[in-house]
Amino acid sequence: MLTALELIGIAAFAASGAVAAVRARLDVFGVTVLALTTALGGGIMRDILLGVRPPTALVTWPYLAVAGGTGLIVFWFHPTVEKLRRAVLLLDAIGLGLFVTAGTSTALALGAPPYAACLVGMTTGIGGGALRDVLLREIPLVLRKEIYAVAALGGAVTVALGDRLHLPADVVAVAGSVLIITVRVLALWRGWNAPVARKLDG
Amino acid sequence: MLTALELIGIAAFAASGAVAAVRARLDVFGVTVLALTTALGGGIMRDILLGVRPPTALVTWPYLAVAGGTGLIVFWFHPTVEKLRRAVLLLDAIGLGLFVTAGTSTALALGAPPYAACLVGMTTGIGGGALRDVLLREIPLVLRKEIYAVAALGGAVTVALGDRLHLPADVVAVAGSVLIITVRVLALWRGWNAPVARKLDG
Amino acid sequence: MLTALELIGIAAFAASGAVAAVRARLDVFGVTVLALTTALGGGIMRDILLGVRPPTALVTWPYLAVAGGTGLIVFWFHPTVEKLRRAVLLLDAIGLGLFVTAGTSTALALGAPPYAACLVGMTTGIGGGALRDVLLREIPLVLRKEIYAVAALGGAVTVALGDRLHLPADVVAVAGSVLIITVRVLALWRGWNAPVARKLDG
């Protein structure tokens, strides 16, 4: 069950990377590389920070197959995928929820203090998308839009608090994921954005 | 004492990241994330290169509190901070001096050869600012302006030489930091820049 | 012999970084930093992924000397180097060939499964150039042009297959390198490019 959800998250992130790559007019290999980078980048950053060697993402072939396969599917069918834009955003929210809570749990299990575990969990969820945007010469969306970082923070804190209160890990992970997904879906649906600083000339 | 200086360095780098983020019109979370990234990025790169797990910056909560708090202060008071531009540049020079020498010393203490320790020290001082500029889609300032890299190199070499000559580590660290800060302040004050290659059509 | 080839690869990558930095009007330190980053970045990424501490590139001074020296030579003589554009591209192909096969072999020797070793090998060959392009605010060429990623993949798979078939490591490494170099030279000479996705409005 959890593995199935993980693969859905990976496919969602891979699709978001591949769609962005198609828009930037990359060729089929560039699209595949960007799908892999977006889907696996966050998990690789987590493992580098925590000292897990070699990174799980590199030695788990279903992750690679799902990410690469999703990239190729987007490349061939992208006009249809474009129409599925809402579905991709929903899947991206699911991916964010699963990656942040899984990253936070992994860090806690390896003995990181709660605030460090939250940062590692947020990096897991946000890292792949940030890498995607940097490679395509964009300011990472997470820095600019729609309550992305704060949704991730909320989910990570939920997991860390649950761990401190000795609640069952599964329940806490589900609660954190649901929180993240709900906040992201509401933010997209209602056009929520965080406050921007006052204009310099204001 | 050293810890107080370290926290000043972290606050200076966090302020430089937050000011840049405010200018790029990021929201409050983007500003906080960029303050954390700029302040802690160089130290995390150092720990990744040296194999320190988990990175010190992630498990030392005062670092996180100072960096995040500085980001929020800049977000709310940034017109004032803008007027403090010179102070921020001075603090940035202090941060560079402290981070480069601390990074070089740490690498030497872990057994790295002198030239490797210098590279690690320079990465510690320069890495956070480079990350800030890449995330905001700028060519890193360190690559372009005002004797930044060479000041860092001078401080790192001072520490490595002092270690080779068995001088007291504290004295050497202070000397290296003072050298870096002096060079940076002079470069900013006098508008020093390193030579640029001749024009291709020249 | 292998070491000589490695140094040629490092010099080629350093030259490509330095030429790009000169074009972006960086100063002499920026050019040197970018030469070092391009030449050593891929190997450092490989060692971070595989857990080799400290990264080989940082503790092997001939690598540093060749990369830094090449950067300075390009800075002073770059109009001539510009005329050597074809030579630089050929050297870059040689560097790619050597780095991908060496990275794949190292990963296999450290016990990585074949598909992970291929990814690590590709990262070794492609990482430095991607870092160069990101620092200069370009979409990495490897994502866009001329069969770069697929040449790297072909060489990595050759090494992994040869290892599985228990062929002599030297022979396999040479075969993989020759394959990569041949594909790259043909792609440059004939203007091969991989397919790009259909236009969104098409």
Side-chain angles (χ1 to χ4, degrees), chain B residues 81-172:
Chain B
V81 174
E82 280 290 302
K83 285 180 206 137
L84 297 173
R85 206 178 133 67
R86 269 157 200 266
V88 169
L89 284 173
L90 178 58
L91 288 169
D92 180 89
I94 295 171
L96 184 71
L98 294 166
F99 276 39
V100 168
T101 52
T104 309
S105 303
T106 305
L108 288 168
L110 289 174
Y115 50 88
C118 289
L119 280 181
V120 170
M122 290 176 70
T123 303
T124 312
I126 291 169
L131 213 49
R132 171 197 66 207
D133 294 341
V134 165
L135 287 173
L136 295 178
R137 246 180 0 175
E138 304 280 343
I139 293 181
L141 262 178
V142 54
L143 292 179
R144 288 189 296 148
K145 284 280 183 186
E146 293 158 345
I147 316 279
Y148 205 96
V150 80
L153 178 62
V157 167
T158 302
V159 172
L161 270 179
D163 181 75
R164 178 58 64 94
L165 300 172
H166 302 293
L167 300 178
D170 290 1
V171 175
V172 168

Side-chain angles (χ1 to χ4, degrees), chain C residues 21-43:
Chain C
V22 165
R23 281 192 185 138
R25 313 286 308 141
L26 301 192
D27 68 25
V28 60
F29 302 111
V31 170
T32 309
V33 170
L34 212 63
L36 286 167
T37 308
T38 310
L40 309 180

Side-chain angles (χ1 to χ4, degrees), chain A residues 28 53 58-59 76 78 137, chain C residues 48 53 115-116 137 195 198:
Chain A
V28 61
R53 291 285 171 302
L58 290 188
V59 294
W76 292 114
H78 72 90
R137 248 179 359 176
Chain C
I48 288 174
R53 291 284 171 303
Y115 49 89
R137 248 182 356 179
R198 285 159 291 164

Side-chain angles (χ1 to χ4, degrees), chain B residues 64-81:
Chain B
L64 294 169
V66 166
T70 304
L72 289 173
I73 289 169
V74 168
F75 183 79
W76 291 115
F77 298 107
H78 73 91
T80 314
V81 174

Side-chain angles (χ1 to χ4, degrees), chain A residues 2 101 105 158-159 162-163 166-179:
Chain A
L2 202 86
T101 53
S105 303
T158 302
V159 172
D163 181 73
H166 301 294
L167 299 179
D170 290 0
V171 175
V172 168
V174 169
S177 299
V178 168
L179 175 67

